[in-house]
Coordinates of all heavy atoms in Angstrom, one line a residue:
V120 N 16.7 12.1 9.9 CA 16.8 13.3 9.3 C 15.4 13.6 8.6 O 15.0 12.9 7.7 CB 18.0 13.6 8.2 CG1 17.8 14.9 7.7 CG2 19.2 13.3 9.0
E121 N 14.7 14.7 9.0 CA 13.4 15.1 8.5 C 13.5 16.1 7.4 O 14.4 17.1 7.5 CB 12.5 15.6 9.5 CG 12.2 14.6 10.6 CD 11.3 15.1 11.7 OE1 10.3 15.8 11.3 OE2 11.6 14.9 12.8
S122 N 12.7 16.2 6.4 CA 12.6 17.3 5.4 C 11.2 17.3 4.8 O 10.2 16.4 5.0 CB 13.6 16.9 4.2 OG 13.3 15.7 3.5
G123 N 11.0 18.5 4.1 CA 9.6 18.5 3.4 C 8.7 19.6 4.1 O 7.6 19.7 3.5
G124 N 9.0 20.2 5.1 CA 8.1 21.0 5.8 C 8.0 22.5 5.1 O 8.8 22.6 4.0
G125 N 7.2 23.4 5.5 CA 7.3 24.6 5.0 C 5.8 25.3 5.3 O 5.0 24.9 6.2
L126 N 5.4 26.3 4.5 CA 4.3 27.1 4.6 C 3.4 26.9 3.4 O 3.9 26.9 2.2 CB 4.7 28.7 4.7 CG 3.6 29.6 4.4 CD1 2.6 29.4 5.7 CD2 4.1 31.0 4.3
V127 N 2.2 26.6 3.6 CA 1.2 26.2 2.6 C -0.1 26.9 3.0 O -0.4 27.2 4.1 CB 0.9 24.7 2.3 CG1 2.3 24.0 2.0 CG2 0.5 24.1 3.6
Q128 N -1.0 27.2 1.9 CA -2.3 27.7 2.1 C -3.2 26.6 2.6 O -3.1 25.4 2.2 CB -2.8 28.3 0.8 CG -2.0 29.6 0.5 CD -2.6 30.2 -0.9 OE1 -3.4 29.5 -1.6 NE2 -2.2 31.3 -1.1
P129 N -4.4 27.0 3.3 CA -5.3 25.9 3.5 C -5.9 25.1 2.3 O -6.1 25.9 1.2 CB -6.5 26.7 4.2 CG -5.8 28.0 4.7 CD -4.6 28.2 3.9
G130 N -6.0 24.0 2.4 CA -6.4 23.2 1.4 C -5.2 22.6 0.5 O -5.4 21.8 -0.4
G131 N -4.0 23.0 0.7 CA -2.9 22.7 0.2 C -2.4 21.3 0.6 O -2.9 20.7 1.5
S132 N -1.2 20.9 0.1 CA -0.5 19.6 0.3 C 1.0 19.7 0.7 O 1.6 20.8 0.1 CB -0.8 18.6 -0.8 OG -2.1 18.4 -1.0
L133 N 1.5 18.9 1.6 CA 2.9 18.7 1.8 C 3.2 17.3 1.9 O 2.3 16.4 2.4 CB 3.3 19.5 3.1 CG 3.5 21.0 2.9 CD1 3.8 21.6 4.4 CD2 4.7 21.4 2.0
R134 N 4.4 16.9 1.7 CA 5.0 15.5 1.9 C 6.2 15.7 2.7 O 7.3 16.2 2.4 CB 5.2 14.8 0.5 CG 5.8 13.5 0.7 CD 5.9 12.9 -0.8 NE 6.5 11.6 -0.8 CZ 5.9 10.4 -0.8 NH1 4.5 10.5 -0.7 NH2 6.4 9.4 -0.8
L135 N 6.1 15.1 3.8 CA 7.2 15.0 4.8 C 8.0 13.7 4.6 O 7.5 12.6 4.3 CB 6.8 15.0 6.3 CG 6.0 16.3 6.8 CD1 5.6 16.3 8.1 CD2 6.8 17.6 6.4
S136 N 9.3 13.8 4.7 CA 10.2 12.6 4.8 C 10.9 12.4 6.0 O 11.5 13.5 6.5 CB 11.1 12.6 3.4 OG 10.3 12.7 2.2
C137 N 11.4 11.3 6.3 CA 12.2 11.0 7.4 C 13.0 9.8 7.0 O 12.6 8.7 7.0 CB 11.3 10.7 8.6 SG 12.3 10.2 10.1
A138 N 14.3 10.0 7.0 CA 15.2 9.1 6.6 C 16.1 8.6 7.7 O 16.8 9.5 8.4 CB 16.2 9.5 5.5
A139 N 16.3 7.3 8.0 CA 17.0 6.7 9.2 C 18.4 6.1 8.6 O 18.4 5.5 7.5 CB 16.2 5.6 9.9
S140 N 19.5 6.3 9.4 CA 20.7 5.8 9.0 C 21.5 5.5 10.4 O 21.2 5.9 11.4 CB 21.5 6.8 8.3 OG 21.6 8.0 9.1
G141 N 22.4 4.6 10.2 CA 23.3 4.1 11.3 C 23.1 2.6 11.4 O 23.0 1.9 10.5
S142 N 23.3 2.1 12.7 CA 23.3 0.7 12.9 C 21.8 0.3 13.1 O 21.2 0.3 14.1 CB 24.1 0.5 14.3 OG 25.3 0.8 14.2
I143 N 21.2 -0.3 11.9 CA 19.9 -0.7 11.9 C 19.9 -2.1 11.5 O 20.3 -2.6 10.4 CB 19.2 0.1 11.0 CG1 19.2 1.6 11.2 CG2 17.6 -0.5 10.8 CD1 18.4 2.5 10.3
F144 N 19.4 -3.0 12.4 CA 19.2 -4.4 12.1 C 17.8 -4.8 11.6 O 17.5 -5.5 10.8 CB 19.7 -5.3 13.3 CG 19.4 -6.7 13.2 CD1 20.1 -7.6 12.2 CD2 18.2 -7.4 13.8 CE1 19.8 -8.9 12.2 CE2 17.9 -8.7 13.6 CZ 18.8 -9.5 12.8
R145 N 16.8 -4.1 12.3 CA 15.4 -4.4 12.1 C 14.6 -3.1 12.5 O 14.9 -2.6 13.6 CB 14.9 -5.6 12.7 CG 13.4 -5.9 12.5 CD 13.0 -7.0 13.3 NE 11.5 -7.2 13.4 CZ 10.9 -7.9 12.5 NH1 11.4 -8.5 11.4 NH2 9.5 -8.0 12.5
I146 N 13.7 -2.7 11.7 CA 12.7 -1.6 12.1 C 11.4 -2.2 12.5 O 10.8 -3.0 11.6 CB 12.7 -0.5 11.0 CG1 13.9 0.1 10.9 CG2 11.4 0.3 11.3 CD1 13.9 1.2 9.7
N147 N 10.9 -1.9 13.7 CA 9.6 -2.5 14.0 C 8.5 -1.6 13.8 O 7.4 -2.0 13.6 CB 9.7 -2.9 15.5 CG 10.5 -4.2 15.7 OD1 10.8 -5.0 14.8 ND2 11.1 -4.3 16.9
G148 N 8.7 -0.2 13.9 CA 7.7 0.7 13.8 C 8.1 2.0 13.5 O 9.3 2.5 13.9
M149 N 7.5 3.0 12.7 CA 7.7 4.2 12.4 C 6.5 5.1 12.5 O 5.3 4.7 12.2 CB 8.1 4.3 10.9 CG 9.3 3.3 10.4 SD 9.7 3.3 8.8 CE 11.0 4.5 8.8
R150 N 6.7 6.2 13.2 CA 5.7 7.1 13.7 C 5.9 8.5 13.4 O 7.1 9.0 13.3 CB 5.5 6.9 15.1 CG 5.2 5.5 15.8 CD 5.2 5.5 17.1 NE 4.9 4.1 17.7 CZ 4.9 3.7 18.9 NH1 5.2 4.7 19.9 NH2 4.5 2.5 19.3
W151 N 4.8 9.2 13.3 CA 4.8 10.7 13.1 C 4.0 11.3 14.3 O 2.9 11.0 14.5 CB 4.3 11.2 11.9 CG 5.2 10.9 10.6 CD1 5.0 9.9 9.8 CD2 6.2 11.8 10.2 NE1 6.0 10.1 8.8 CE2 6.8 11.1 9.0 CE3 6.7 13.0 10.6 CZ2 7.8 11.7 8.3 CZ3 7.8 13.5 10.1 CH2 8.4 12.9 8.7
F152 N 4.6 12.2 15.0 CA 4.1 13.0 16.0 C 4.1 14.6 15.6 O 4.6 15.0 14.8 CB 4.9 12.9 17.4 CG 4.8 11.6 18.0 CD1 5.6 10.5 17.6 CD2 3.9 11.2 19.0 CE1 5.6 9.3 18.1 CE2 3.9 10.0 19.6 CZ 4.7 9.0 19.2
R153 N 3.2 15.2 16.4 CA 3.3 16.8 16.2 C 3.0 17.4 17.5 O 2.3 16.9 18.4 CB 2.2 17.1 15.1 CG 0.8 17.1 15.4 CD 0.0 17.4 14.2 NE -1.4 17.4 14.7 CZ -2.5 17.6 13.6 NH1 -2.2 17.8 12.4 NH2 -3.7 17.5 14.0
Q154 N 3.4 18.7 17.6 CA 3.3 19.6 18.7 C 3.0 20.9 18.2 O 3.9 21.6 17.7 CB 4.5 19.4 19.6 CG 4.4 20.2 20.9 CD 5.5 20.0 21.9 OE1 6.6 19.5 21.5 NE2 5.3 20.2 23.1
G155 N 1.7 21.3 18.5 CA 1.4 22.7 18.2 C 1.6 23.6 19.3 O 2.0 23.3 20.4
P156 N 1.4 25.0 19.0 CA 1.6 25.9 20.1 C 0.9 25.7 21.4 O -0.4 25.6 21.3 CB 1.3 27.2 19.5 CG 1.4 27.0 18.0 CD 1.0 25.6 17.9
G157 N 1.5 25.6 22.5 CA 0.8 25.4 23.8 C 0.3 23.9 24.0 O -0.6 23.9 24.9
E158 N 0.6 23.0 23.1 CA 0.1 21.7 23.2 C 1.1 20.6 23.5 O 2.3 21.0 23.4 CB -0.6 21.3 21.8 CG -1.9 22.3 21.4 CD -2.4 21.9 20.1 OE1 -1.8 21.0 19.5 OE2 -3.5 22.4 19.9
Q159 N 0.7 19.5 24.0 CA 1.8 18.4 24.1 C 1.8 17.7 22.8 O 0.9 17.8 21.9 CB 1.1 17.4 25.3 CG 1.1 18.0 26.7 CD 0.8 16.9 27.7 OE1 0.0 16.1 27.4 NE2 1.5 17.0 28.8
R160 N 2.8 16.9 22.7 CA 3.2 16.1 21.5 C 2.2 15.0 21.5 O 1.9 14.3 22.4 CB 4.5 15.6 21.7 CG 4.9 14.7 20.4 CD 6.3 14.2 20.7 NE 6.4 13.2 21.7 CZ 7.5 12.7 22.3 NH1 8.8 13.2 21.8 NH2 7.5 11.8 23.1
T161 N 1.6 14.9 20.3 CA 0.6 13.8 20.0 C 0.8 13.0 18.9 O 1.6 13.4 17.9 CB -0.9 14.4 19.8 OG1 -0.9 15.3 18.9 CG2 -1.3 15.2 21.2
L162 N 0.4 11.8 18.8 CA 0.5 10.9 17.7 C -0.3 11.2 16.6 O -1.5 11.4 16.7 CB 0.4 9.4 18.2 CG 0.5 8.4 17.1 CD1 2.0 8.2 16.7 CD2 0.1 7.0 17.6
V163 N 0.2 11.3 15.3 CA -0.5 11.5 14.2 C -0.8 10.4 13.4 O -1.8 10.2 13.0 CB 0.4 12.6 13.3 CG1 -0.3 12.8 11.9 CG2 0.6 14.0 14.1
A164 N 0.3 9.4 13.2 CA 0.1 8.3 12.4 C 1.3 7.4 12.7 O 2.4 7.9 13.0 CB 0.1 8.6 10.9
Q165 N 1.1 6.0 12.4 CA 2.1 5.1 12.6 C 1.9 3.9 11.7 O 0.7 3.6 11.3 CB 2.2 4.5 14.0 CG 1.1 3.9 14.5 CD 1.1 3.5 16.1 OE1 2.1 3.8 16.7 NE2 0.2 2.6 16.5
V166 N 3.0 3.2 11.4 CA 3.1 1.9 10.7 C 3.9 1.0 11.3 O 5.1 1.4 11.6 CB 3.3 2.2 9.1 CG1 4.7 2.8 9.1 CG2 3.3 0.9 8.3
T167 N 3.5 -0.2 11.4 CA 4.3 -1.3 12.0 C 5.1 -2.2 11.0 O 4.9 -2.1 9.9 CB 3.6 -2.3 12.9 OG1 2.6 -3.0 12.2 CG2 2.7 -1.3 14.0

C-alpha cells in the first residue's frame, strides 16, 4: 500500500511510503519505479 503522493511546486519535497503486509518470511529487496506520460516504467531507487 503506497501513500504520500500529491501536487508540489518545483523545488519542493515529498515523502512516499510503501507498507508491505501478508505472508512475509524475508525481504530481499525493495524498489521504487516510475512511469511518466508516454514513457516506459524505469527504476528510480532500490535497497537490498
